[in-house]
Amino acid sequence: MPSTSKSDYTHGMDRDPDIQREWLRLFDRFVLRLIELKPESVLDVGCGRGVLVNQLSQAGILATGIDPKAPGHDPQIIQGDVERLPFGDDDFEWVTLRHVPHHLPDLSAALRECVRVTRKGLLIAEPWFDLTDPLQKISERWDRWWKRQHERAGDVHKACIPVSGIVAALPVGDFDIEAEHYRHVAHITPEAIEKLSKPLLDELPPDNPDRGEYTQIMQQINERGFTYNGTVIVKVTRG
Ligand SMILES: C[S@@+](CC[C@H](N)C(=O)[O-])C[C@H]1O[C@@H](n2cnc3c(N)ncnc32)[C@H](O)[C@@H]1O
């Protein structure tokens, strides 16, 4: 199965209470946008532990999740791969992918499958750094460093995919695209970033250039701070 990870699916982020809190605040925006669509049924691709599936179910929306790392004992949260969705054409009104695209080895193959099983469209979120802000530039530099270490260990963890990358990966078809960039200014302590980075740094060979890169990034973070990423929400409606 592609893109299974050696580490837990959040790469340790959910163990930091500050990061966890900001993460949930960021995701609230996505839930709001989804609820506004008044969906009859939703397939949440890359559902993780099923947080969104549970929220939707509580709101009376028919929700199913799929993830390669699903435990496999919950009929609502199925174990499986986005490239081979075990569903029929048009089975769901909406399909969601929340912070999933940058984990996928072949986004085009994934979106082709997602479009196949949806009647109305896709609601996609990707993390987003506002590079017009110097603090976000530092955070994005660390984000790339962090993901490089996961990729070195065999995970798929790419840099954040911009709207243009998502649109380019859609299959040929008639789609209406709406994108909303949501900047979420939240400061995370340098200590929290160091704690997340340390195990990865320890695994780096002594001559790896990412050791020097880490020193430079942490110097900037200690001097200027670290701000959490925002998100971009892309609504892809079938024509
Ligand atoms: C950052 S987590 C996001 C989890 C969840 N969507 C959320 O909002 O909390 C990325 C998820 O993508 C899943 N994933 C990775 N490769 C996948 C694949 N080939 N098919 C489906 N999901 C995949 C991972 O297992 C992980 O749960």
Side-chain angles (χ1 to χ4, degrees), residues 2-4 9-10 23 27 44-49 51-52 66-69 80-83 97-100 102-105:
S3 80
T4 48
Y9 83 96
T10 69
W23 193 8
F27 281 176
D44 187 33
V45 169
C47 63
R49 298 194 186 116
V51 175
L52 181 59
I66 188 161
D67 197 295
K69 291 182 201 158
D81 185 338
V82 63
E83 290 189 31
L97 298 106
R98 190 169 68 174
H99 289 199
V100 172
H102 64 284
H103 286 277
L104 303 176

Side-chain angles (χ1 to χ4, degrees), residues 13 23 26-27 97-103 124-130 136 140 143 146-147 157-163 166 181-182 228-233:
M13 277 211 157
W23 193 8
L26 195 67
F27 281 176
L97 298 106
R98 190 169 68 174
H99 289 199
V100 172
H102 64 284
H103 286 277
I124 302 173
E126 261 291 272
W128 168 69
F129 291 92
D130 180 356
Q136 285 268 281
E140 199 257 358
D143 187 68
W146 184 65
K147 288 171 171 172
H157 207 183
K158 303 176 185 174
C160 309
I161 300 177
V163 178
I166 291 171
H181 288 88
Y182 173 54
Y228 198 64
N229 56 268
T231 197
V232 56
I233 300 175

